Amino acid sequence: MTDHSYSFQTRVLHGNHKFDPTTGAVSVPIQQASTFHQADFDNPGKYDYSRSGNPTREALEEEIARLEGGDKGLAFASGMAAISTSFMMLSKNDHVVITEDVYGGTFRLVHEVLHRFGIEHTFVDMTDLHAVATAIQPNTKVVYIETPANPLLNITDISAVAKLAKAHGCYTFVDNTFMTPALQRPLELGADLVLHSATKFIAGHSDVVAGLAVTNHPEIAEQLPYLQNAFGSILGPHDSWLVLRGLKTLDCRLKQSTESAIKITRYLDDHPLVEEVYHPSLTTHPGYSTHNYQADGPGAVLSFRLKDAAAVREFSKHVEIPVFAVSLGAVESILSYPAKMSHASMPELERLKRGITDGLLRLSVGLEKPEDIIKDFDRALQQINSLEVELGG
Ligand SMILES: *Cc1c(COP(=O)(O)O)cnc(C)c1O
């Protein structure tokens, strides 16, 4: 489909792989093959070996590139495979400026692994442009953004940081997992590389682990496929197909979940036992205006703070609807406890400094009726009240 004026809702369904040209099948065929017959070794065919290229994976790569507005898309075995392979563009003595509330796996990669290869880093508060500017060194090659960030939904101004990075000859990488191209397209804002854990909203059903990368930068478009082939961190054909299938309903899932997240945020914000709620839909959120400028909606992940660990324990014991797990972006709501899950490996002092207290919970809103979740939460919050009475306030 060539008309770019169609909305995302339509374009997500009608891409370059609308039907299979050989059979007319309206679902991309799963080419479960490792190698491809070469009729003439002087003129090898388009595909030779599936690590280097597979038609099912390629269909996904073309679709995500189209939706992010990039030239080249790549599908990896996981979000971390996409992120770590992208960092392999760097060399010894290069430097990375990275947001301090980056995803835990990326924190570990940069802090523990890249460091061993002589690639240095500086963690900064990316909401502070002055701090970003100060952190950039002559050997800085990448400025790494995540927005909204986990778990307090801090917002980074993508175009301002990308401009700063470009002025210093650095690439801007953006982890767009929380938004997806349905809500935010970082390449349009000046970023060079968009990264995804497709495990989350893009695939959307808690049934596949996958990663995606999209670029419009000619140098990255050349280097990254080379590195993907060199490292072999590819997504298999069956998993590629699952992500393609998830992608078709991305827009309607995210719209529904976002709407519900707004309702749940309002409910929690009014509840006397909830000390704080974090969601970019709140006008009191410090990143509200930046987020509204660069994204098409607040998304379906929110966090809220109860008094302490005892309150969290009581609440999670009584809450019925969400699954209690790590991960996010699925059809079912997922409740997680950052202090004991995603940020468990972080030293307590660092954790508290970032606002990740023992009372903080994160909710990824799924497709349940929001009124049911509110009813469930209301009942569970009442249990904290009775606990307080038992303990004498
Ligand atoms: C889950 C996640 C990742 C890592 O992706 P995997 O698919 O689990 O490897 C990276 N960034 C963010 C923001 C995530 O939520």
Side-chain angles (χ1 to χ4, degrees), residues 78-81 83 103 106 146 175 177-178 197-200 209-211 328:
S78 67
M80 282 320 302
I83 293 165
Y103 175 74
T106 312
E146 207 174 297
D175 183 330
T177 300
F178 274 40
S197 171
T199 313
K200 317 292 167 56
V209 173
L328 57 100

Side-chain angles (χ1 to χ4, degrees), residues 3-4 6-15 63 66-67:
D3 190 342
H4 296 293
Y6 288 125
S7 71
F8 188 90
Q9 185 180 345
T10 301
R11 293 196 305 118
V12 80
L13 290 160
H14 300 284
E63 286 309 292
R66 184 176 63 86
L67 295 172

Side-chain angles (χ1 to χ4, degrees), residues 57 60-61 73-86 195-196 198 209-214 224-225 227-229 231-236 239-240 243:
R57 190 174 89 230
L60 170 61
E61 294 176 336
L74 292 165
F76 291 86
S78 67
M80 282 320 302
I83 293 165
S84 53
T85 306
S86 301
L195 296 156
H196 283 286
V209 173
L212 296 168
V214 183
L224 204 53
L227 288 165
Q228 185 194 42
N229 188 40
F231 281 83
S233 46
I234 49 154
L235 190 64
D239 285 350
S240 297
V243 177

Side-chain angles (χ1 to χ4, degrees), residues 240-255:
S240 297
W241 184 85
L242 280 170
V243 177
L244 276 166
R245 186 169 72 168
L247 204 47
K248 292 184 186 184
T249 55
L250 171 65
D251 193 75
C252 71
R253 282 187 285 108
L254 203 49
K255 264 193 195 121

Side-chain angles (χ1 to χ4, degrees), residues 43-341:
N43 295 296
K46 182 176 178 192
Y47 306 103
D48 55 16
Y49 186 58
S50 274
R51 171 157 41 72
S52 321
N54 173 281
T56 314
R57 190 174 89 230
E58 187 179 68
L60 170 61
E61 294 176 336
E62 286 176 9
E63 286 309 292
I64 193 63
R66 184 176 63 86
L67 295 172
E68 283 284 6
D71 300 325
K72 183 74 194 164
L74 292 165
F76 291 86
S78 67
M80 282 320 302
I83 293 165
S84 53
T85 306
S86 301
F87 274 119
M88 290 301 120
M89 287 192 287
L90 303 191
S91 303
K92 192 177 170 191
N93 298 325
D94 284 347
H95 175 256
V96 177
V97 173
I98 185 161
T99 177
E100 67 184 3
D101 43 21
V102 73
Y103 175 74
T106 312
F107 178 88
R108 178 172 51 206
L109 172 77
V110 169
H111 195 64
E112 313 274 339
V113 184
L114 295 186
H115 176 72
R116 284 202 287 116
F117 293 90
I119 298 164
E120 300 302 337
H121 59 269
T122 305
F123 285 107
V124 296
D125 172 4
M126 283 261 167
T127 64
D128 179 356
L129 282 177
H130 182 72
V132 180
T134 312
I136 295 176
Q137 305 174 5
N139 59 340
T140 304
K141 289 285 153 61
V142 168
V143 179
Y144 191 99
I145 300 174
E146 207 174 297
T147 183
N150 192 24
L152 297 184
L153 291 309
N154 285 326
I155 303 302
T156 294
D157 185 334
I158 298 174
S159 57
V161 171
K163 214 172 280 167
L164 206 56
K166 199 154 283 167
H168 289 84
C170 313
Y171 291 142
T172 303
F173 291 4
V174 179
D175 183 330
N176 202 27
T177 300
F178 274 40
M179 289 283 101
T180 83
L183 296 179
Q184 182 171 271
R185 289 162 303 280
L187 298 179
E188 291 173 3
L189 298 163
D192 301 300
L193 178 67
V194 177
L195 296 156
H196 283 286
S197 171
T199 313
K200 317 292 167 56
F201 289 103
I202 289 180
H205 292 71
S206 302
D207 55 10
V208 62
V209 173
L212 296 168
V214 183
T215 186
N216 55 7
H217 194 293
E219 240 170 66
I220 300 179
E222 197 176 304
Q223 278 189 59
L224 204 53
Y226 170 83
L227 288 165
Q228 185 194 42
N229 188 40
F231 281 83
S233 46
I234 49 154
L235 190 64
H238 201 273
D239 285 350
S240 297
W241 184 85
L242 280 170
V243 177
L244 276 166
R245 186 169 72 168
L247 204 47
K248 292 184 186 184
T249 55
L250 171 65
D251 193 75
C252 71
R253 282 187 285 108
L254 203 49
K255 264 193 195 121
Q256 177 66 56
S257 293
T258 296
E259 217 173 277
S260 302
I262 293 169
K263 286 185 184 163
I264 296 166
T265 296
R266 288 207 192 114
Y267 160 77
L268 290 169
D269 201 35
D270 283 342
H271 199 287
L273 287 182
V274 177
E275 295 184 347
E276 202 119 37
V277 188
Y278 303 90
H279 191 244
S281 68
L282 291 167
T283 51
T284 49
H285 189 289
Y288 178 80
S289 58
T290 304
H291 186 78
N292 268 287
Y293 163 74
Q294 67 191 13
D296 298 332
V301 181
L302 61 99
S303 290
F304 58 102
R305 194 187 306 286
L306 299 177
K307 190 174 161 202
D308 51 22
V312 165
R313 195 162 292 121
E314 205 56 22
F315 177 76
S316 50
K317 206 162 75 189
H318 289 96
V319 82
E320 278 180 354
I321 293 176
V323 295
F324 198 57
V326 295
S327 199
L328 57 100
V331 288
E332 63 276 355
S333 289
I334 300 177
L335 187 66
S336 64
Y337 187 29
K340 287 270 153 72
M341 291 176 168

